[in-house]
C-alpha cells in the first residue's frame, strides 16, 4: 500500500483532480451538472469571504513554564499546499513517514515563537530561527529557563534551543534526529542535556520499490487462536515492508549537550519510546522487535521494556512482551503483562506499572481486574504491590509518600474512581476518594491540578500540610458550561469553590501561580472576544491581561448565538447552538439552514439530556465549521445533540436508527417552531461518524433537503470487529450491523448527498473504499449523489487547495439543493 501511495502522490495535481471531478460529475444529469457549474476539472475556490476565513492568521497557543514565570506562545503555520502533501511517503505498520528526513510524513509545525513574562506581560519574539522554519516538539527545560524544539528540513530534523532571557534560538544539532517512531527529544534533569533518537548508521536503505520478480508467496497462518483486530490502514504486507520498517524506525539513543556534544547510549534498536529517570541515572527504553505482524499496527508488535544505564547497559528487563494480536475487542480489554510502565515522578528512580488479573478480557466477570506494582532502583528486588482494583487501571497522580491518587474506570457503566493511597506505607488501606460517571457532566468533580517538581515532572499540587488538592473542571450546568477551580480537602472529603466563570465570559482556569492558588492563569473568551490569557487574583477579583490576540475572523462579528433546548418524542432532553447571520431579523422570515452533528452513545437518558456547551464561548471558525455558511445567508444549528441511549443492560445501538431519526426530527421541529428555518430547506451534515449519521438520516427519513457527508464509513460489514462504541462483532450482532449500515439501505436515499473523502485516509474503519462503494450503490439506484476524492488527504483535510475546493463544492451543493430547493411535502417516513 505504501508503494502505491508513493507513486500516486507523484502524479501531477491536475491528473488527480480530473479523476475525482470526472467521478463526481457522473453523479448528476448533464443538465444539472452544467447548471450547478460542477463540470470543471481543476481545483476551484469559493466566495472570497470564505477564502479569507481559511487564510486567516492562526491565533497562538500558550504553554506555561515549569517555574510559572513565562508563557511560551507558538503560532501554527497556515495550511500547506497540495504539492507539499503529495510528496512520497512510506506507510508502514500504521506509521506514515518521509524516508528523506526520517520524520512523520506530515505534521503541523510552528512558524513563530514568543515568550511572555507573567510578571509584566512583556512579549519577546524569539529571534534566530532559520528561514522557513518548521518548528515542532517544543519542550520546557525543568527549570523553565529555556525550551528545546525540533526544526524539520527536507533532508532531516534538527535540534534547537531558545533561551528565555535572551529570546534567541540556537541550533544544537544538524539534521540527524530520527522521529519516525514519534518520540521527540527530552530534557535530562540537569537542564543542559537532552536525550534524543538519532538516525542510526545502517548503511544503504532497502529500495523503496521491491524487486520486480517475487521470491515466493506472502503467507500468514493462525493455529486456532482467537486474534480479532479492528480495521487498520497502512499495515505491513510482506517481507520487503518488514525490511523497510526495520531500517527506518531503527534509531540510536544519544545524550546531547547544549553545545552539541554527542554521547551515544547503547546500540541501535527500534526505539518506540524512551524516558530518563527523574534523577537522570537511568533510561526506560521500550523497543520493538520481530516477529512483526501484517494485521495490527506497530504499537502491538513484540516489545522489550528495559532499564538502561547511561552507558547503554541493560540493568533490568521489566518484560519482553510478545506480539499483542489477541487482545479481545470488548472495551476495557488490554494485553496481558506489564503495561503503562513509567517512572514515579516524585522519586529518584522508581518504576510503576499495572498488570491485568482477568486475562485482559473485559467480558470476564471478576471482583478484581488490575494490580499496580512498584520497583525501586537498583531493581534487584521483587515488585511491590501498591493497590489491587476492581475496575480497569488508568493512571496515577503522585504527590509524595503520603499521597497518590489511582484512577480506574469502566466503560460499560461509564464509572470513574479515584483511590487515595499512601505509597510510603504498605500497610495503609486504600481509600475510595472520588466516584462519578464520566458522562454526567453536571456532577463531574474536575481534574486534579499538577505542578512541576524539582525533577521536572508533574505531581499533584497540594496545600494545608499536603491534605488539600485542587480541581479544575468544565462546570457543565443547565445554563451551559461554567469552568471552576475547587480546593478539595482529601482528609475531610470537603470541597471549597474558589472560582467559577461568570457571564458574559467563558473563563477556564489553567494553573495556579502560588501555593495557595489565590492567583491563577486563565484563558478568557466571549462570543465576540477571542481567547486570551489573563492573570486573575482571587482575593480581590482583579484581572490582568497577558495577551491581546486579535479577532481572527472579523467577517463573522455580529452574528446571533443562542443555546437552545428542546425535547425528543420519548422525553430525552436535547440541545444545540443556534446561529443567525449578522443583521437577521424575524421579519425576514425563515432561512435555509445547515445542521451539523455527531451522534454519541449514553448509558443514561438523564446524562444524554445534559447541556455540554456554553453560550459565551468564542467560536473558532475554519474550513471545518458550519458557521462559514452564515456569511452565505444560511442559519446554522451546530451540535444538535443526537444521543443514542441504552440504559441498564440495553445496548444503545439496538435502537440506533429510531433514536437518531427522533433526535433529528425534534431538532427540525424546534427550528421551524422558532420561525428561523424553512422545513423544506434544511441540510444535514457531519464528519466521520457524523457523515455516517448523515447517510442514515437520508436513508431513514425525509427530514432534510440534502446531505453533506465527509470521510465516513457506510458499510459496517467492512469493520466486522467493532466500530465506534460498538464492541460486539458482526457475527454476534449481524442485525445491528445491517440496520446501521447506510450502504445496505442505499435504495432508500432519495435526497441529494455530497460525499467527500480523503484518498489517503488512515483512520481505523474509514477506508476511502467506504465512500467509493457507497457512491456506486447510490448511483446504481439512481440517487442524486456526488463523490469528491481529495488527493493526498487523510481523515482530516489540510491542503489549502483541498479546503477551498471543499468549500466550493459544499457551497454549490447547498445553493442548488437547499437554498434554491423547490418546496416539498417533507415530513417523516
Amino acid at each position: 500500500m505504501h508503494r502505491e501511495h508513493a507513486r500516486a502522490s507523484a502524479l501531477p495535481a491536475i491528473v488527480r483532480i480530473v479523476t475525482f471531478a470526472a467521478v463526481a460529475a457522473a453523479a448528476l444529469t448533464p443538465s444539472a451538472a452544467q447548471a450547478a457549474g460542477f463540470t470543471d476539472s481543476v481545483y476551484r475556490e469559493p466566495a472570497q469571504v470564505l477564502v479569507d476565513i481559511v487564510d486567516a492568521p492562526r491565533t497562538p497557543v500558550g504553554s506555561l513554564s515549569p517555574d510559572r514565570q513565562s508563557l511560551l506562545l507558538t503560532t501554527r503555520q497556515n495550511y500547506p499546499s497540495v504539492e507539499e502533501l503529495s510528496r512520497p511517503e512510506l506507510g508502514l505498520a500504521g506509521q506514515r513517514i518521509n524516508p528523506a528526513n526520517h520524520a512523520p510524513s506530515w505534521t503541523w509545525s510552528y512558524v513563530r515563537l514568543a515568550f511572555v513574562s507573567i510578571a509584566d506581560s512583556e512579549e519577546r519574539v524569539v529571534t534566530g530561527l532559520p528561514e522557513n522554519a518548521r518548528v515542532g516538539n517544543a519542550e520546557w527545560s525543568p527549570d523553565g529557563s529555556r525550551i528545546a524544539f525540533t526544526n524539520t528540513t527536507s533532508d532531516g530534523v534538527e535540534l534547537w534551543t531558545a533561551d528565555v532571557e535572551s529570546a534567541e534560538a540556537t541550533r544544537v544539532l544538524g539534521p540527524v534526529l530520527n522521529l519516525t517512531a514519534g518520540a521527540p527529544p527530552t530534557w535530562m534533569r540537569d537542564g543542559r542535556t537532552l536525550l534524543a533518537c538519532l538516525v542510526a548508521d545502517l548503511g544503504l536503505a532497502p529500495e523503496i520499490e521491491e524487486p520486480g520478480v517475487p521470491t515466493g508467496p506472502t503467507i500468514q497462518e493462525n493455529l486456532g487462536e482467537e486474534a480479532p483486530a479492528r480495521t487498520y490502514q497502512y499495515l505491513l504486507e510482506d517481507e520487503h515492508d518488514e525490511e523497510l520498517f526495520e531500517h527506518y524506525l531503527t534509531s540510536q539513543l544519544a545524550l546531547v549537550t547544549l553545545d552539541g556534544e554527542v554521547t551515544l547510549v547503547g546500540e541501535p534498536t527500534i526505539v518506540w519510546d524512551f524516558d530518563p529517570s527523574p534523577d537522570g541515572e537511568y533510561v526506560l527504553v521500550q523497543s520493538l522487535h520481530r516477529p512483526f505482524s501484517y494485521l495490527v499496527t506497530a504499537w502491538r508488535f513484540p516489545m522489550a521494556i528495559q532499564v538502561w544505564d547511561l552507558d547503554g547497559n541493560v540493568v533490568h528487563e521489566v518484560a519482553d512482551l510478545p506480539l499483542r494480536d489477541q487482545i479481545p475487542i470488548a472495551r476495557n480489554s488490554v494485553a496481558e503483562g506489564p503495561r503503562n510502565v513509567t517512572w514515579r515522578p516524585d522519586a529518584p528512580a522508581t518504576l510503576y506499572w499495572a498488570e491485568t488479573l482477568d486475562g485482559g478480557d473485559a467480558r470476564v466477570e471478576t471482583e478484581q481486574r488490575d494490580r499496580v506494582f512498584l520497583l525501586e532502583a537498583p531493581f534487584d528486588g521483587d515488585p511491590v504491590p501498591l493497590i489491587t482494583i476492581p475496575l480497569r487501571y488508568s493512571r496515577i497522580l503522585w504527590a509524595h509518600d503520603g499521597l497518590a491518587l489511582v484512577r480506574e474506570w469502566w466503560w460499560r457503566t461509564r464509572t470513574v474512581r479515584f483511590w487515595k493511597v499512601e505509597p510510603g506505607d504498605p500497610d495503609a488501606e486504600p481509600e475510595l476518594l472520588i466516584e462519578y460517571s464520566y458522562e454526567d457532566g453536571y456532577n463531574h468533580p474536575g481534574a486534579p491540578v499538577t505542578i512541576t517538581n524539582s525533577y521536572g515532572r508533574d505531581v499533584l499540587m497540594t496545600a494545608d500540610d499536603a491534605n488539600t488538592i485542587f480541581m479544575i473542571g468544565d462546570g457543565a450546568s443547565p445554563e451551559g458550561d461554567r469552568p471552576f477551580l475547587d480546593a478539595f480537602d482529601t482528609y475531610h472529603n470537603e470541597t471549597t469553590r474558589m472560582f467559577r466563570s461568570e457571564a458574559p465570559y467563558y473563563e477556564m482556569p489553567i494553573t495556579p501561580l502560588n501555593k495557595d492558588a489565590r492567583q491563577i492563569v486563565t484563558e478568557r473568551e466571549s462570543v465576540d472576544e477571542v481567547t486570551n490569557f489573563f492573570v486573575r487574583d482571587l482575593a480581590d477579583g482583579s484581572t490582568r491581561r497577558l495577551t491581546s490576540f486579535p479577532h481572527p475572523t472579523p467577517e463573522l462579528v455580529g452574528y446571533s448565538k443562542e443555546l437552545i433546548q428542546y425535547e425528543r418524542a420519548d422525553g430525552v432532553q436535547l440541545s444545540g447552538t443556534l446561529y443567525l447571520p449578522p443583521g437577521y431579523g424575524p421579519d425576514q422570515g425563515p432561512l435555509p439552514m445547515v445542521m451539523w452533528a455527531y451522534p454519541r452513545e449514553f448509558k443514561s437518558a438523564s446524562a444524554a439530556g445534559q447541556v455540554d456547551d456554553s453560550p459565551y464561548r468564542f467560536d473558532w471558525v475554519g474550513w471545518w465549521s458550519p458557521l462559514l455558511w452564515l456569511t452565505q445567508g444560511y442559519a446554522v444549528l451546530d451540535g444538535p445533540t443526537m444521543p443514542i441511549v441504552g440504559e441498564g443492560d440495553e445496548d444503545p445501538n439496538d435502537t440506533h436508527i429510531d433514536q437518531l431519526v427522533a433526535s433529528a426530527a425534534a431538532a427540525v421541529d424546534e427550528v421551524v417552531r422558532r420561525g428561523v428555518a424553512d422545513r423544506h430547506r434544511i441540510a444535514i451534515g457531519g464528519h466521520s461518524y457524523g457523515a455516517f449519521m448523515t447517510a442514515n438520516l437520508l436513508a431513514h427519513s425525509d427530514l432534510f433537503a440534502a446531505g453533506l457527508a465527509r470521510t465516513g464509513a457506510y458499510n459496517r460489514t467492512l469493520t466486522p470487529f467493532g466500530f465506534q462504541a460498538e464492541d460486539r462483532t458482526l457475527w454476534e450482532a449481524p442485525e445491528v450491523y445491517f440496520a446501521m449500515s447506510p450502504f445496505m439501505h442505499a435504495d432508500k436515499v432519495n435526497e441529494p448527498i455530497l460525499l467527500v473523502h480523503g484518498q489517503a485516509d488512515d483512520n481505523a474503519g474509514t477506508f476511502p473504499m467506504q465512500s467509493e462503494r457507497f457512491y456506486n450503490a447510490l448511483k446504481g439506484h439512481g440517487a442524486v449523489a456526488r463523490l469528491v476524492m481529495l488527493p493526498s488527504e487523510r481523515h482530516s483535510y489540510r491542503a489549502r487547495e483541498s479546503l477551498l475546493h471543499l468549500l466550493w463544492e459544499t457551497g454549490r451543493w447547498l445553493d442548488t439543493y437547499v437554498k434554491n430547493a423547490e418546496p416539498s411535502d417533507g415530513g417523516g417516513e
Side-chain angles (χ1 to χ4, degrees), residues 71-143:
L71 183 70
L72 170 66
L73 299 181
T74 53
T75 304
R76 202 188 74 183
Q77 68 180 109
N78 279 347
Y79 296 106
S81 68
V82 71
E83 184 277 331
E84 184 176 352
L85 292 191
S86 300
R87 294 168 185 167
E89 66 174 7
L90 292 176
L92 300 167
Q95 305 296 108
R96 297 176 67 167
I97 65 173
N98 182 344
N101 62 11
H102 284 81
S105 57
W106 201 89
T107 58
W108 289 111
S109 299
Y110 300 110
V111 295
R112 182 181 185 272
L113 303 174
F115 296 115
V116 175
S117 168
I118 300 299
D120 58 15
S121 304
E122 178 190 4
E123 178 180 320
R124 288 171 298 157
V125 178
V126 173
T127 60
L129 293 176
E131 187 177 358
N132 300 319
R134 297 290 303 274
V135 173
N137 303 299
E139 181 179 327
W140 283 103
S141 63
D143 64 358

Side-chain angles (χ1 to χ4, degrees), residues 16-48:
R16 296 193 297 277
I17 296 168
V18 168
T19 300
F20 79 73
V23 171
L28 299 174
T29 64
S31 59
Q34 185 174 4
F38 286 163
T39 56
D40 299 272
S41 59
V42 295
Y43 284 112
R44 298 294 301 268
E45 293 189 359
Q48 187 60 45

Side-chain angles (χ1 to χ4, degrees), residues 62-73 114-119 122 124 140 143-147 163-165 511 513 521 546:
S63 169
L64 198 66
S65 63
D67 61 2
R68 291 174 284 181
Q69 298 300 309
S70 304
L71 183 70
L72 170 66
L73 299 181
F115 296 115
V116 175
S117 168
I118 300 299
E122 178 190 4
R124 288 171 298 157
W140 283 103
D143 64 358
S145 65
R146 55 176 56 87
I147 61 169
D163 179 75
V164 172
E165 184 175 352
T511 187
L513 288 176
V521 174
L546 289 174

